[in-house]
Amino acid sequence: VEARVRQLWADEFEIDPALVGADASFFDLGGHSLTAIRLVNSVREEFGVEYPVARFYEQPTLGAMARYLAVNGDGDGSESSGSNGTAADVLGRAPVTAQQSAFITRHLTHPRPEIYNVAMRLTFTGALDVPALRAALTQLVARHEALRTRLVQDEATGEWWQEALRPRPVELPEEDLVACPDPADVADAEAEAERLAAETAAEPFDIRAELAPVLRLLRTGADRWALLFVLHHSACDGWSVSVLLRELAALYRAEVTGEPHGLPESVPQPSEYARWQQDRSRTQDRGRLVDYWARELAGAPFDLALPLDRPRPEQLSGEGDVVLFTVGSAVRTGVEALARRHRTTPFAVTAAALARLVAKVTGEQDVVLGISYANRERREFEALAACTVSSFTLRVRGGEAETFGALVDQVARGVVGAIDHAAPIRAVAEELREALGVEVPDRLPLGFQYQSSLDTDIELPGVTTAVEDLAVPGARSEFNFGLIPTGDVLSGYLEYSTDLWDRATVEAWTTAYVDLLAESVTAPGQGEGEG
């Protein structure tokens, strides 16, 4: 068993198996949350056994994993899944996923539903083969039902369903901004491309129609193009974006070179995920979940609010803005070093820093954060294009930690328990209201994400490619803080409601966060802790 586990670890960390001893630490080897998910998926595939992610934090060695698997059996882990097909343009019908259901409600009730657009711009410089790009996009849509799905509501019951539609060729007309007939209207092709990109990104989807990607190809120079690629968030998340970009690059390469694309012939689909999700929910012990969160959140300050620049309106307008910032390479290195010393992940360090910032701003040491995570729990769904993101609640009791290192340890322990009892707060809010006798919100006001699953670095033959997000004006919630590992830095963003705060206030908070994080990871004694 240990030899088989050693090979799994060696494959994941891309090192010689001989270098992985029984005492090798998951965190010392550079493990993080996504590594843990992939190793759990590998263990399930190899041994047919569920390995709790929490054990990476409790007992992070190879030997501990081998002992657990030796005791808990060695099956083949095989499962089967069915399909559902219909005639005409609808190829299959399935229940909506929990994520799709949530986005339907949010889209229909948010005053600015375009905020749920996931918009990207792919800039190509060089000899772009436009017919090859069009063919690659057609194949991409054919492979992934999420790119040709519509959401329909049963008029009699009110229940929502997802329907996968028959693939069809992608129309991708080339809009030549350089050869515009009236140069006075477009003095600068790049400026016009910016305007069109902002306009396209901000056009809301019709949630009751097919949620096909919006695609526009703009030619902005003799050897320069911009592909606008807009999806609805119910169809994708950061992990899915990485999957789609990787596959688009492979399909384009195959079209240009004539070589096989090397991708699996079939991929998991949202309908399979929805059925698995329903089966899982039937066997889930809700009593266990509610009992845990009732203990964890007893006395929690759900109404904790950052100081406002203006009175809170009865209902937020949905208007918002985003402040971008950067955590430099030296501080990122310090974050990762501190995480290794405490046998945890950069997420725990950066989340602890945010909780400490909120505590300083509010004067309240007890902070509750809504944490988003990739939620890719099974290997068969790693190539799934869909939104699987879920959330859990993280309570950080800063008053119980004398040092930042101790706070990191507390966050790491809290994450272990939260992942083992993962549930969006809306899923248990009703029971918690009854158990705690207080008002429990369906959504927490302070959100945090560490998006290590997003990878936008792709290579296409003959062109240089750059991928960037297109900001959509508005705010999904009042305060949403995130970090993305990019190159050797952390790219940060803070999406906020302009009903509540001025940009200057939010910029000051992001500056204070970077300073606090730098101070925390370099202060003497922060390497010490409970480990």
Side-chain angles (χ1 to χ4, degrees), residues 3 31 33 69 74 76 92 111 140 166 195 197 209 231 288 324-325 330 355 357 437 445 472 501:
S33 58
L69 295 174
D74 185 11
D76 61 10
L140 188 71
R166 189 178 303 280
R195 185 188 70 79
L231 291 158
R288 172 178 173 270
L324 304 178
F325 63 96
L357 173 67
V472 179
W501 296 291

Side-chain angles (χ1 to χ4, degrees), residues 247-295:
E247 292 200 0
L248 176 61
L251 294 168
Y252 178 86
R253 189 178 304 111
E255 286 293 320
V256 170
T257 64
E259 299 175 356
H261 53 62
L263 300 172
E265 289 305 313
S266 63
V267 291
Q269 303 295 353
S271 55
E272 300 169 41
Y273 182 75
R275 294 188 182 95
W276 169 80
Q277 198 175 60
Q278 282 200 341
D279 290 341
R280 182 170 177 264
S281 67
R282 292 190 190 102
T283 60
Q284 194 172 46
D285 186 346
R286 287 192 59 80
R288 172 178 173 270
L289 288 180
V290 173
D291 288 347
Y292 174 83
W293 288 113
R295 292 192 306 271

